[in-house]
Amino acid sequence: MPNLNRRRGFAHERDLLLKLWRRGFAVIRAPASGAKARRFAVPDIVAIKNNRVLAFEVKTAEKKKTIYIPKHQVEKLLVFIRRAGGYGFIAVKIVGESGWRFIEVDKLEKTASGNYKVSPDMLVKSFKLGDLVSFVQGNKRIDEYI
């Protein structure tokens, strides 16, 4: 049985999946926790709408804390979006808040150890779910949000 943090993580992944589904995306949750799945570049969630592929690594964080992301998770997300011709995001669920924040994988900061991080300042400037919906509907290019 998974520990409490993993169960919360799974619950947040399902929450994001449901929110994307309700906004018209075709969505699949692809947890790669099994040993055989780890050798493939599989993100936590893949969402498709209007021929745009969005791939997400899902993280949970407290409001004013930096989020650290292992290098291998970012690399598998990059491999997947290159193969799919899509867009990659770190999806962040802030504990105690109802919404989600999305950071483009290309905008992540690299740490001295080679891993990646999302600072609290980056979260403030990140996309919201409505921004992603507007993007896939063709209302704006992704770079118009920055």
Side-chain angles (χ1 to χ4, degrees):
M1 181 158 194
N3 68 29
L4 184 59
N5 287 336
R6 284 184 55 128
R7 281 190 300 197
R8 283 186 188 142
F10 296 157
H12 289 145
E13 288 175 10
R14 287 189 297 273
D15 174 66
L16 178 56
L17 184 139
L18 185 58
K19 287 183 182 328
L20 291 165
W21 183 263
R22 287 181 176 161
R23 284 164 179 78
F25 287 84
V27 189
I28 188 166
R29 180 176 164 261
S33 59
K36 291 181 181 177
R38 286 187 191 175
R39 65 184 132 167
F40 298 106
V42 181
D44 292 330
I45 293 177
V46 176
I48 304 165
K49 184 174 182 178
N50 295 338
N51 295 318
R52 294 200 176 167
V53 177
L54 309 181
F56 304 94
E57 273 299 315
V58 177
K59 300 294 174 192
T60 303
E62 294 183 27
K63 193 170 192 168
K64 305 234 183 222
K65 298 224 176 181
T66 299
I67 303 164
Y68 293 94
I69 306 160
K71 178 182 175 182
H72 75 276
Q73 289 182 347
V74 173
E75 288 175 348
K76 76 175 183 177
L77 184 58
L78 289 169
V79 167
F80 185 89
I81 63 173
R82 279 189 210 113
R83 284 177 173 238
Y87 301 88
F89 297 91
I90 302 300
V92 180
K93 175 68 174 156
I94 306 295
V95 175
E97 292 186 7
S98 61
W100 284 85
R101 304 301 295 191
F102 303 93
I103 298 92
E104 284 182 277
V105 69
D106 295 336
K107 305 286 187 222
L108 295 174
E109 296 176 25
K110 204 163 197 177
T111 66
S113 65
N115 292 316
Y116 293 85
K117 69 178 181 176
V118 176
S119 66
D121 188 50
M122 288 177 78
L123 283 174
V124 171
K125 297 175 185 176
S126 61
F127 299 118
K128 294 181 180 175
L129 186 55
D131 299 327
L132 291 180
V133 171
S134 187
F135 164 63
V136 298
Q137 290 175 335
N139 299 338
K140 288 187 175 183
R141 293 185 327 265
I142 202 78
D143 61 348
E144 290 183 274
Y145 291 95
I146 301 164

